[in-house]
Amino acid sequence: QKEVEQNSGPLSVPEGAIASLNCTYSDRGSQSFFWYRQYSGKSPELIMFIYSNGDKEDGRFTAQLNKASQYVSLLIRDSQPSDSATYLCAVNRAGGYNKLIFGAGTRLAVHP
Amino acid sequence: SQTIHQWPATLVQPVGSPLSLECTVEGTSNPNLYWYRQAAGRGLQLLFYSVGIGQISSEVPQNLSASRPQDRQFILSSKKLLLSDSGFYLCAWSLGQGVDTQYFGPGTRLTVL
């Protein structure tokens, strides 16, 4: 079992729809969870992080965390073609200092 | 505000040649620094991290090495490149406290021929 799993996609949604990206992790001791967006050929850029169970909203983005189910998700409301990118889920490795374990990413395609 | 630089942006090197990639951070002191590699279509693999000058930890055995000669400078090196070293090399920094979010530099795309 991979430490951080994401569906590779592509996830195709129409413009204006809600895109739902999912991530599961194996280490129950993980404490912080991050979503990065990576455009083709570019470096990852942070969207948001979450560390408490429940929802966290930032503009059109909502991160959801369920530690009991070891599940974290990212919702993108009113999806735009400019949201088309690969979304990386990252989970900190429990214990010691912060080492992030990344999923392979989900490719999102928003079509007009 | 903090800024992270990497160079070169792209590099094409023959097998067996040496490598030196540089990363510098501005606007913060004593950051944690990281080197990642991303192979085509793959996730990010942590190669090295550093919590201070001269302090380097390796995550994966390989023919690469890292050094931190100054507080905000991180260097990735190899004496002899392999074909399998091709990839997108990313440097990242974090404050080393709290949630400790990592922020990435623009990356170096390395092709070994």
Side-chain angles (χ1 to χ4, degrees):
Chain A
Q1 180 188 7
K2 293 181 182 177
E3 292 185 78
V4 179
E5 295 206 52
Q6 296 181 256
N7 188 321
S8 61
L11 173 65
S12 182
V13 300
E15 184 174 355
I18 296 175
S20 178
L21 305 162
N22 305 316
C23 173
T24 58
Y25 59 95
S26 61
D27 188 342
R28 286 196 170 273
S30 299
Q31 299 169 352
S32 303
F33 307 85
F34 303 80
W35 283 101
Y36 288 84
R37 177 175 62 196
Q38 187 175 24
Y39 291 111
S40 181
K42 302 296 184 182
S43 63
E45 53 182 334
L46 179 72
I47 299 174
M48 63 191 304
F49 63 83
I50 186 169
Y51 52 84
S52 299
N53 275 328
D55 295 359
K56 179 182 179 183
E57 186 174 319
D58 185 357
R60 295 188 296 114
F61 300 95
T62 299
Q64 299 175 317
L65 175 61
N66 185 326
K67 291 185 179 180
S69 300
Q70 295 175 249
Y71 178 92
V72 59
S73 65
L74 180 70
L75 302 179
I76 306 175
R77 290 181 299 280
D78 188 24
S79 295
Q80 301 297 310
S82 58
D83 294 324
S84 298
T86 297
Y87 289 80
L88 303 174
C89 171
V91 175
N92 82 319
R93 186 179 295 173
Y97 101 104
N98 184 34
K99 300 181 189 180
L100 291 185
I101 307 300
F102 282 82
T106 297
R107 189 157 60 91
L108 173 67
V110 181
H111 53 86
Chain B
S1 65
Q2 298 86 3
T3 309
I4 179 168
H5 303 279
Q6 286 186 246
W7 63 90
T10 60
L11 192 59
V12 180
Q13 292 285 94
V15 169
S17 63
L19 174 74
S20 181
L21 304 181
E22 189 165 343
C23 168
T24 59
V25 180
E26 297 176 355
T28 188
S29 296
N30 196 32
N32 285 352
L33 296 172
Y34 312 80
W35 278 113
Y36 289 88
R37 177 171 60 203
Q38 186 176 38
R42 305 280 298 276
L44 275 69
Q45 179 187 36
L46 179 63
L47 303 175
F48 300 94
Y49 66 89
S50 171
V51 298
I53 296 175
Q55 300 179 62
I56 309 293
S57 295
S58 174
E59 283 292 298
V60 181
Q62 59 216 323
N63 72 323
L64 300 171
S65 62
S67 62
R68 186 170 176 173
Q70 300 181 45
D71 181 44
R72 290 169 287 178
Q73 183 184 30
F74 206 21
I75 297 173
L76 183 70
S77 304
S78 174
K79 293 182 179 178
K80 289 186 178 182
L81 283 169
L82 306 173
L83 285 173
S84 57
D85 291 324
S86 294
F88 193 34
Y89 287 82
L90 291 155
C91 180
W93 73 273
S94 71
L95 286 174
Q97 55 185 292
V99 173
D100 207 24
T101 303
Q102 293 183 24
Y103 300 92
F104 288 87
T108 295
R109 190 161 303 279
L110 171 66
T111 302
V112 183
L113 301 175

